[in-house]
Amino acid sequence: MALLGALIFFGLTSAHQSLYSRNWTKPLDVVIYPINADRFIATQQYIDTLSSATFTDIETWASREADRWNIPLDKPFAVRLGDTVTALPPALPVDATSADTLIWGLKFRWWAHRHTPKGDASLTTVRMFVLYYDPFSDKPLAHSLGLQKGLLGVVHAYATKRQAAQNNIVISHEMLHTVGASDKYEGWGGPVYPYGFTNPLRTPLFPQRSAEIMVGRIPTSHTSSYMAESLKSVQINRFTAAEINWIDH
Ligand SMILES: [Zn+2]
């Protein structure tokens, strides 16, 4: 399809999508599509063990956080496992400029439009494509991304039970990008103060006890932090809650 056609097509659909996803009067459906990214048998064997239960943590966590912010909704996100997708999404260049990222976004949305399993395409569903890799390969994982336009995410994850809890943190992070949350970490990966802290007024400030979802790391000083082990120690702070329309700005 010509680029102009793609621009018009996605311009029309994304206006609807941001409108529907942001009012929190009913659960937002999220479908996880696993992809065997390195084509290894071990990766496929892990994918074969996945079920919707693998991702229940995400729902439970979002419900807990919504409750803390007085959202009158039992379940803000309804997460389920979708079919395995065999095609690979376009890769974002490693040193992507903002123009590269914009073009990649259009390509990825077009790719998702073509590869979403039949019957699943809905303007009110978040589609998360999770690319699984064998944990023994020494290649570092590419950056995961979530797009508000199109309600789409691409997550790079290790195909092992030991990583499942941290994979759910990354999926939740990208899922919140699709509903308007922004990153709150600096170049070194630690949180920006105060936006990336769950308790920025705590005295003493360090160590913090939990990670903000749009950082994923628990700060131990202004220059050090560690990755949260599971969503149990991750929260949505008021800056993110405002961005996703859970509280007034
Ligand atoms: Zn992010």
Side-chain angles (χ1 to χ4, degrees), residues 169-222:
I169 297 177
V170 181
I171 294 169
S172 303
H173 174 108
E174 305 309 336
M175 179 180 87
L176 288 203
H177 272 314
T178 72
V179 291
S182 65
D183 284 323
K184 294 174 180 66
Y185 55 83
E186 306 192 58
W188 62 278
V192 177
Y193 185 84
Y195 308 102
F197 283 65
T198 54
N199 198 350
L201 301 177
R202 182 175 190 272
T203 43
L205 185 57
F206 300 109
Q208 291 271 313
R209 294 209 176 88
S210 51
E212 210 290 321
I213 185 61
M214 299 318 289
V215 179
R217 301 180 69 86
I218 302 172
T220 47
S221 78
H222 278 297

Side-chain angles (χ1 to χ4, degrees), residues 17 29 42 47 93 111 114-115 134 137 145-146 153 167 172 174 182 187 204 207 226:
Q17 283 176 320
D29 289 320
I47 289 175
W111 177 91
R114 286 189 300 143
H115 293 285
D134 189 288
S137 74
L145 286 151
N167 289 344
S172 303
E174 305 309 336
S182 65
Y226 61 99

